Amino acid sequence: MTLYQLEVFDRVAKLRSFTKAAKELQIGQPTVSSLVDRLQGELGIKLFERIGTVSHLTEAGTRLLQTAQNILTLIQETRDAMEELKGLRKGKIRVGGSSIAAALFLPVATQAFKKDHPQCELILGIERSDTLEKQLLEGDLDVAIMGWRPNSTQLVSDAFRAEEIVAIAPPGHALAKKCRVSLNLIAKEPLILPGKGAAVRGLVERRFIDAKLSFTPVLEVNGRVGCKDAIKSAVANGLGIGFLPKCHVNAEVEAGRLKFLNAYELHLKQTMYIVIHKKRKNLEFVRAFVDFLKRHNRWV
């Protein structure tokens, strides 16, 4: 059993696809299959079972994945420790952000950090908060800007800033013409929201439940790419009342394509958190990036 076999096995397990793993690892699919077959042969047990086009872990595969991830994390920590001995001369940091962070400041902030630290390779990805939390726990991210405080005790979080969640409607909608709009009136309309797992969806859903109002969205938009644009388009075309962070809607409201509802009972703000894994909080580049974000308030 080799470290490379475990790395390949880990990729296949996470992506549930030999083809996707090969593409991500930039090797041929037959090579991936051969390495996994050799690993299964050495262990004398089947690690995957194929159902349709998806490769699922067997019970043995699930147990091996836990061990493999511990080994790979330990190897990465060792590499990071060696890089830290060099100071900030060379390194890599993987940063993830929610769509709000992406809209407000994160791309600009990461580019500014790279300008100050040209020796650092910075990789930025935009995902939903539930995905970011999973990636942090699996060691695929060093820092994340998330839309909620994580549940895992393995993660450390600091409140960073808050963004107002607003209700939106097309300008010609009856509610858009009212000076004040109650939650009870909004609840009677078709609702358009991000899918389950999105921070905004959870906040709005809890607000309606606390108010003892029915909450059954007529349209749920899933996926990180284009989600907010799909919601804005659906609302603009009269399909219902939508909910989004205010920063995502300002341009459309200013252009007259959408209108904020004065939903005086909504009172929702999405707090963003800087989140890191406990095992990575003392790494030099991670500390440098987090400190950079906190110091440069102009980005936020």
Side-chain angles (χ1 to χ4, degrees), residues 133 137 150-156 277-278:
E133 183 169 353
L137 289 170
N151 297 315
S152 174
T153 56
Q154 295 301 306
L155 302 178
V156 180
H277 199 286
K278 282 183 177 179

Side-chain angles (χ1 to χ4, degrees), residues 8-159:
V8 172
F9 166 73
D10 176 71
R11 285 296 96 189
V12 175
K14 287 179 178 177
L15 297 172
R16 297 197 296 177
S17 167
F18 282 68
T19 302
K20 290 180 180 178
K23 184 176 180 180
E24 185 169 302
L25 293 166
Q26 297 182 333
I27 59 177
Q29 193 271 340
T31 301
V32 172
S33 297
S34 175
L35 288 165
V36 173
D37 287 343
R38 200 178 311 160
L39 182 60
Q40 291 181 133
E42 290 177 19
L43 297 174
I45 195 167
K46 194 173 182 180
L47 302 174
F48 293 99
E49 56 183 0
R50 192 177 182 85
I51 302 176
T53 60
V54 179
S55 296
H56 295 271
L57 286 170
T58 62
E59 182 179 351
T62 300
R63 293 190 182 185
L64 177 61
L65 180 62
Q66 295 171 350
T67 302
Q69 288 178 341
N70 289 336
I71 292 171
L72 294 172
T73 298
L74 183 59
I75 294 295
Q76 185 60 51
E77 288 173 359
T78 303
R79 289 171 177 162
D80 291 338
M82 295 302 101
E83 290 295 342
E84 189 168 355
L85 291 175
K86 304 173 186 177
L88 288 180
R89 292 196 296 274
K90 182 182 178 183
K92 177 172 71 174
I93 180 170
R94 298 161 298 179
V95 178
S98 66
S99 61
I100 295 183
L104 286 174
F105 66 90
L106 196 51
V108 175
T110 52
Q111 288 302 310
F113 180 81
K114 288 172 69 175
K115 185 177 180 181
D116 285 353
H117 302 87
Q119 71 281 30
C120 176
E121 179 187 359
L122 195 153
I123 301 170
L124 174 62
I126 304 301
E127 298 281 358
R128 291 192 339 187
S129 292
D130 56 342
T131 301
L132 294 174
E133 183 169 353
K134 182 180 178 182
Q135 289 178 334
L136 284 166
L137 289 170
E138 292 178 349
D140 293 331
L141 283 181
D142 297 306
V143 182
I145 314 299
M146 290 172 43
W148 61 55
R149 191 182 294 278
N151 297 315
S152 174
T153 56
Q154 295 301 306
L155 302 178
V156 180
S157 62
D158 288 319

Side-chain angles (χ1 to χ4, degrees), residues 219-238:
L219 178 62
E220 299 179 22
V221 182
N222 292 300
R224 68 185 187 276
V225 178
C227 173
K228 62 182 182 298
D229 293 327
I231 291 174
K232 289 186 287 187
S233 177
V235 173
N237 283 285

